Amino acid sequence: YTVKEAWTSLGPQKDCPHIQEATNSRGVWDQILVATGGAEQPAEPQGAAATPPGMPLQAAQMLGLHDPKKPPHAFKCSNTVRVGEFFLPEKILLENPAVFTTGTTPVPADYLPEIVPECEFLLKGSDNVLRTFPEGEDPQNGDCKVVYEYVPSDFPASFVVGQTASVPDEVKELGVKFGVDQAHVTGKCNSDLGEIWMVRKGTYDLNEMIGMAKEEESKLTMIIRVVGWALLCAGWVFLFDPFVTALEVLPLLSKLGYFAVVLTALIVSCACCCTIMIVAYMRYRPVLSGGLLAIALGIWGIIAWRLNYAAENGGDVTESPTASPKSFGN
């Protein structure tokens, strides 16, 4: 417990930029750190790596803000974790925290130690938590707590992975025959088609897993396209921004000029996005993308032609009407 935050998994921080003339007391934190295998003089944690207030440790771990294996924290995986006849090593469990390290449950009180060696100041509470202050009292600056949690077994999980024959000897007695790993995919025309590796929490068949992967990829692709288009549009607006600045002396023209710039940026950015997507799509559908590319080049040609015509005619894009010849009789 610190002055800066109610609780931080990284221990008391040294600086409190928003609290004047206040410092965090490290209390017994350093003793707990040394007792669990940490350094006697730990390096000060970086401000960017601190866990935000109120964020669960699982979420901080997924975002790379919390290391569950760095002292005084500890993360232990059983050597007999398996799914049916397949063994799951610790590496796979840690690389998929959303599947294997969520839904934690407090460890039963019978499994908690009454006294922790070299940390006799920790008091065991009725809620399975070790504290440096009596249960029911408010913690003070510098107090610490130790929480033991575990992930219950027998939860559903689905895999689309590669099968291996590497299995530790201690799990073979449990009926484990295979291991799992990423499977590299090669084809006749391309030797690098990615990796087969899908792990989802829940029970799904192969078609559902493939459908989920396609849906996730489609959403990610759409997000990238929208963000790319927005950046292109903003870039074109900034490119024409000097013309808008020049027209700010006249209120009406400045608004019309900004509207014209935004409208032009929308059209040109859409043309840029379509052209880029078509060029990238030529790898998979060359015939279809070739026709679409011809259309896109035609649109670019029309845009260049009208801009060139406007430049030659002093900014007037529309053609001046010509009077039809008339004859007069006597």
Side-chain angles (χ1 to χ4, degrees):
Y1 292 87
T2 66
V3 172
K4 185 177 180 181
E5 299 171 343
W7 166 255
T8 170
S9 61
L10 299 179
Q13 307 298 298
K14 179 180 180 181
D15 300 325
C16 300
H18 63 291
I19 301 178
Q20 300 296 329
E21 298 180 358
T23 57
N24 282 323
S25 172
R26 296 188 67 86
V28 297
W29 180 265
D30 293 331
Q31 300 180 43
I32 297 177
L33 190 67
V34 174
T36 53
E40 295 184 0
Q41 296 181 351
E44 293 294 336
Q46 300 296 326
T51 303
M55 175 178 290
L57 297 185
Q58 293 87 350
Q61 177 184 345
M62 294 174 62
L63 295 175
L65 302 177
H66 169 64
D67 186 0
K69 302 184 67 175
K70 183 178 180 180
H73 312 289
F75 191 95
K76 181 64 177 178
C77 297
S78 173
N79 296 328
T80 60
V81 178
R82 60 191 177 91
V83 176
E85 298 180 346
F86 294 88
F87 170 68
L88 298 180
E90 180 178 351
K91 178 177 179 293
I92 293 178
L93 300 178
L94 295 179
E95 289 180 352
N96 299 271
V99 178
F100 300 111
T101 60
T102 56
T104 56
T105 303
V107 173
D110 296 339
Y111 293 93
L112 293 184
E114 296 292 340
I115 299 177
V116 180
E118 302 181 15
C119 297
E120 291 78 7
F121 43 79
L122 292 175
L123 306 177
K124 180 179 178 180
S126 61
D127 54 355
N128 302 350
V129 176
L130 304 181
R131 299 178 175 87
T132 57
F133 55 95
E135 183 180 0
E137 296 186 5
D138 294 333
Q140 303 297 323
N141 182 18
D143 282 331
C144 297
K145 68 177 181 180
V146 180
V147 181
Y148 293 86
E149 294 179 326
Y150 75 103
V151 179
S153 58
D154 299 330
F155 62 86
S158 302
F159 300 83
V160 179
V161 296
Q163 176 180 311
T164 64
S166 57
V167 179
D169 295 334
E170 57 267 22
V171 297
K172 290 183 179 180
E173 300 177 357
L174 302 175
V176 177
K177 299 180 180 179
F178 311 103
V180 296
D181 199 357
Q182 296 181 352
H184 187 74
V185 183
T186 59
K188 295 181 179 179
C189 300
N190 193 338
S191 59
D192 186 11
L193 298 179
E195 304 284 345
I196 295 180
W197 180 258
M198 292 181 61
V199 181
R200 299 291 185 272
K201 195 168 187 177
T203 304
Y204 307 99
D205 58 22
L206 179 59
N207 293 330
E208 290 175 335
M209 293 282 285
I210 295 176
M212 293 170 60
K214 290 182 178 180
E215 183 178 357
E216 293 172 359
E217 184 178 357
S218 299
K219 291 181 180 179
L220 179 61
T221 303
M222 183 59 64
I223 292 174
I224 294 176
R225 289 176 178 175
V226 171
V227 172
W229 171 79
L231 293 176
L232 278 173
C233 185
W236 281 105
V237 170
F238 294 149
L239 184 63
F240 292 113
D241 193 65
F243 299 100
V244 179
T245 304
L247 295 175
E248 285 184 352
V249 293
L250 300 175
L252 182 60
L253 288 181
S254 64
K255 294 181 179 180
L256 292 176
Y258 185 77
F259 175 77
V261 166
V262 173
L263 183 61
T264 303
L266 289 174
I267 298 174
V268 177
S269 61
C270 287
C272 289
C273 285
C274 293
T275 304
I276 294 173
M277 287 188 293
I278 290 172
V279 172
Y281 199 52
M282 289 186 67
R283 176 181 177 183
Y284 305 100
R285 299 287 180 85
V287 178
L288 179 61
S289 60
L292 295 176
L293 183 60
I295 296 175
L297 292 177
I299 295 175
W300 278 109
I302 294 174
I303 294 174
W305 169 57
R306 299 307 295 175
L307 290 176
N308 184 53
Y309 183 87
E312 292 179 354
N313 291 273
D316 187 9
V317 179
T318 59
E319 297 182 2
S320 300
T322 57
S324 58
K326 299 181 178 179
S327 60
F328 299 90
N330 294 328

